[in-house]
Amino acid sequence: MNYVLGIDFGGGASKATLLSEKGEIVSACMVEYPTMYPKPGHAEQNPADWYDATRTAISTLLKKSGIRSESIAALSLDAATHTAVLADENFNVLRPAIYWTDSRSVEEVRFLKDHYADLIEKQILHKPDTIWTLPQILWVGKHEREIWKKTRRIMFAKDYVRHQLTGDYATDRIEAQGSMFFDYNTMNWSQELCEAADLNPALLPELVNPTDIVGKITRKAAEETGLQEGTPVLCGTTDTAMEVFASGAVAAGQITIKLATAGRICVITDKAYPDRNLINYSHVVNGLWYPGTATKSCAASYRWYRDTLGGAEDYRELDHHAAEIPVGCDGLMFHPYLNGELTPYADPLLCGSFTGVRALHGKPHFTRAVLEGVALSMLDCKKALEAISIPHEDQAIVIGGGSASPLWRQILSDTLGMSLIRKENSDSSFGSAMLAGSVIGMFGSLPETVRFCSKEKSRTVPDPEKTDQYEKMFAKYKAIHDALAPIYHGETV
């Protein structure tokens, strides 16, 4: 029997999934790595940690499954987009990668808005924000000039790891759409926006399709990972694109809700929808898009809470106690703006907060408040999406690591007033394995692959009474934002 391998690089861990020709997961392994916060507003990761996690995950997966590496017919990688690796001409990494949640480039965003607004509106389907690669590169060019002078290669997270495996230098067009120096009209690098960053386009990777096989496992990589030398490797694409694909959302009107490092609500469409509140990306299925809204710190908020205030308990234990707390947490409210916020504010200066704290509140209240606060932020995203009137179904497929929590799914379903469908598997590493299987003919076309591999597991139905309660809470949620935002902007003392 042949197998395909998908590897994802998320906000805090890499996951490898081995898929059989029956469309079933044979084995999976997750390896965590840190995100560093050297200064307020800064978020960085060490690219070497990604490759170390890859080697550990693959060797563990092969050992657990007992599968011989020569039975793996192909593999594909995915990762969070916008995360650029700066390297010299020999592909030596010059500095930690600035992670997409980083908000240091506020001044660079302002510069782009002041000097390149018309060009960006013409070529880019996103508004300038600190999440994009272009302002991050402008920051490096200004504050780390010696690093920028040495930069001869710019790779993105999955492309860096794939280079370690195959030696190729390429990226896919969906990934490139997150760079902010890519022209949507030509589907190529933008000469003008590259010039804005003092970047020679010739230094950028070759642009290919996510489904293209761009290299094979080298002898060195085979020795380091246990994979078979010569195994084909797809270019792959972004984690959200793969989650959307894995969830089975391959038709216009379907909607996905993502509970991962960031939260996303995406609608499958047959065209892009340029709007300040939307992030537009091409779908892996030709001719489709998945424009969506986003909250910046979704599952990242829960992980932060667990690691700092939650006593490092298991998520299931935290959920168990939080489930005993009533809707509204007896007045306690959380705003998940740990790294600023995207929809609908596009404001990197916003900060997270607990408000309404009383002596009666215990740890379970704070736990539930985090889950409810993220859900209310997702409601903010949903309302921004509805204001644009994109046709969509009245139910959604819920994806991302946070969707494993029955409590969080119910809170989210009640808050949004939507039924949520959970698939047996929908994480991005599963999607990457599906993509590899489709490309080599194991599962058929992309839509056929979805029908073969993507299976419903459960449905969560909203409680109308609780939906009304959350709608009333949302008014307070917005009022607290409006009251605190001027303070974060230094407008009041």
Side-chain angles (χ1 to χ4, degrees):
M1 181 180 290
N2 287 327
Y3 304 85
V4 283
L5 177 62
I7 307 175
D8 163 63
F9 302 92
S14 174
K15 183 177 181 181
T17 296
L18 192 62
L19 197 61
S20 76
E21 59 191 29
K22 295 180 180 179
E24 299 172 346
I25 293 178
V26 177
S27 186
C29 177
M30 182 177 291
V31 180
E32 291 191 352
Y33 44 72
T35 299
M36 300 166 286
Y37 302 96
K39 295 180 180 179
H42 290 212
E44 300 179 342
Q45 292 187 354
N46 185 352
D49 289 342
W50 306 331
Y51 188 56
D52 288 344
T54 302
R55 293 187 295 179
T56 301
I58 292 173
S59 61
T60 302
L61 182 148
L62 291 173
K63 184 177 181 180
K64 283 173 55 180
S65 67
I67 300 299
R68 295 172 62 87
S69 60
E70 54 263 38
S71 297
I72 299 177
L75 66 145
S76 183
L77 284 65
D78 68 83
T81 190
H82 321 161
T83 306
V85 179
L86 306 184
D88 65 17
E89 63 273 14
N90 296 315
F91 294 94
N92 297 309
V93 176
L94 297 172
R95 71 173 322 283
I98 298 175
Y99 198 60
W100 73 267
T101 57
D102 188 285
S103 59
R104 74 184 72 183
S105 56
V106 173
E107 292 300 320
E108 288 70 28
V109 169
R110 186 174 295 116
F111 169 80
L112 291 170
K113 289 179 178 178
D114 290 344
H115 295 87
Y116 292 91
D118 292 342
L119 179 63
I120 289 172
E121 183 176 353
K122 178 181 177 182
Q123 294 190 356
I124 305 292
L125 296 181
H126 315 299
K127 300 296 182 183
D129 193 276
T130 57
I131 67 173
W132 309 113
T133 313
L134 176 56
Q136 295 167 1
I137 283 178
L138 287 173
W139 185 94
V140 173
K142 179 180 179 181
H143 297 277
E144 299 178 355
R145 191 63 190 169
E146 292 305 310
I147 294 292
W148 184 239
K149 287 179 180 178
K150 296 176 183 177
T151 299
R152 293 294 179 271
R153 301 284 187 268
I154 297 179
M155 298 171 280
F156 299 97
K158 68 151 189 339
D159 304 315
Y160 165 80
V161 177
R162 201 187 56 252
H163 172 80
Q164 302 299 111
L165 296 173
T166 71
D168 77 87
Y169 185 44
T171 196
D172 67 287
R173 289 180 175 83
I174 300 176
E175 179 84 67
Q177 290 167 8
S179 69
M180 207 162 215
F181 38 86
F182 179 84
D183 186 346
Y184 277 76
N185 302 294
T186 64
M187 285 292 172
N188 211 330
W189 301 119
S190 166
Q191 181 71 40
E192 298 90 342
L193 289 170
C194 285
E195 289 176 357
D198 189 26
L199 171 61
N200 182 353
L203 303 182
L204 293 170
E206 176 189 3
L207 287 167
V208 299
N209 296 317
T211 51
D212 288 345
I213 294 174
V214 294
K216 296 181 179 180
I217 297 296
T218 64
R219 177 176 299 180
K220 180 176 182 291
E223 293 172 350
E224 292 174 341
T225 64
L227 292 170
Q228 184 76 5
E229 182 181 357
T231 303
V233 183
L234 278 65
C235 179
T237 189
T238 70
D239 56 353
T240 302
M242 285 296 87
E243 287 170 324
V244 168
F245 174 57
S247 75
V250 292
Q254 289 183 286
I255 186 169
T256 63
I257 298 178
K258 179 179 179 177
L259 295 176
T261 298
R264 295 285 307 278
I265 302 181
C266 298
V267 181
I268 310 305
T269 64
D270 56 8
K271 64 178 182 179
Y273 281 81
D275 185 89
R276 71 174 298 275
N277 284 320
L278 291 186
I279 299 173
N280 284 272
Y281 278 109
S282 300
H283 197 289
V284 71
V285 175
N286 288 335
L288 294 180
W289 295 74
Y290 63 97
T293 51
T295 184
K296 204 169 186 180
S297 298
C298 178
S301 289
Y302 203 16
R303 180 172 179 173
W304 164 82
Y305 170 77
R306 180 198 68 177
D307 294 345
T308 58
L309 303 176
E313 289 185 33
D314 181 89
Y315 288 120
R316 287 172 295 184
E317 185 70 16
L318 289 170
D319 283 4
H320 174 72
H321 294 294
E324 300 173 357
I325 303 302
V327 170
C329 302
D330 294 317
L332 181 65
M333 188 167 285
F334 174 72
H335 284 66
Y337 307 150
L338 300 181
N339 293 292
E341 183 56 303
L342 295 173
T343 308
Y345 309 111
D347 187 350
L349 298 182
L350 293 178
C351 299
S353 65
F354 286 101
T355 55
V357 182
R358 296 281 189 177
L360 65 90
H361 293 129
K363 187 168 77 173
H365 286 88
F366 283 88
T367 303
R368 186 179 180 106
V370 170
L371 302 181
E372 290 188 339
V374 172
L376 289 167
S377 182
M378 297 292 278
L379 180 57
D380 226 354
C381 290
K382 179 173 180 275
K383 289 179 180 293
L385 193 62
E386 290 173 339
I388 304 166
S389 301
I390 302 176
H392 62 78
E393 298 176 353
D394 58 3
Q395 61 184 13
I397 306 169
V398 62
I399 60 179
S403 68
S405 165
L407 173 62
W408 210 356
R409 292 199 307 272
Q410 189 63 61
I411 289 173
L412 186 64
S413 176
D414 292 339
T415 303
L416 301 182
M418 297 181 71
S419 294
L420 302 180
I421 301 169
R422 187 180 179 219
K423 297 299 185 77
E424 288 184 0
N425 302 289
S426 62
D427 73 87
S428 50
S429 65
F430 180 71
S432 284
M434 288 170 56
L435 189 71
S438 177
V439 167
I440 65 171
M442 183 180 287
F443 304 133
S445 68
L446 296 180
E448 289 170 342
T449 297
V450 162
R451 288 193 289 272
F452 187 71
C453 299
S454 182
K455 300 175 178 64
E456 183 175 325
K457 182 175 184 178
S458 66
R459 289 187 179 231
T460 304
V461 180
D463 180 332
E465 183 177 338
K466 291 180 179 177
T467 299
D468 290 342
Q469 287 179 271
Y470 282 119
E471 187 66 33
K472 293 175 182 176
M473 284 174 58
F474 182 69
K476 179 181 177 182
Y477 179 89
K478 295 285 282 187
I480 292 171
H481 161 271
D482 295 346
L484 292 180
I487 297 175
Y488 301 138
H489 283 261
E491 297 172 11
T492 61
V493 292

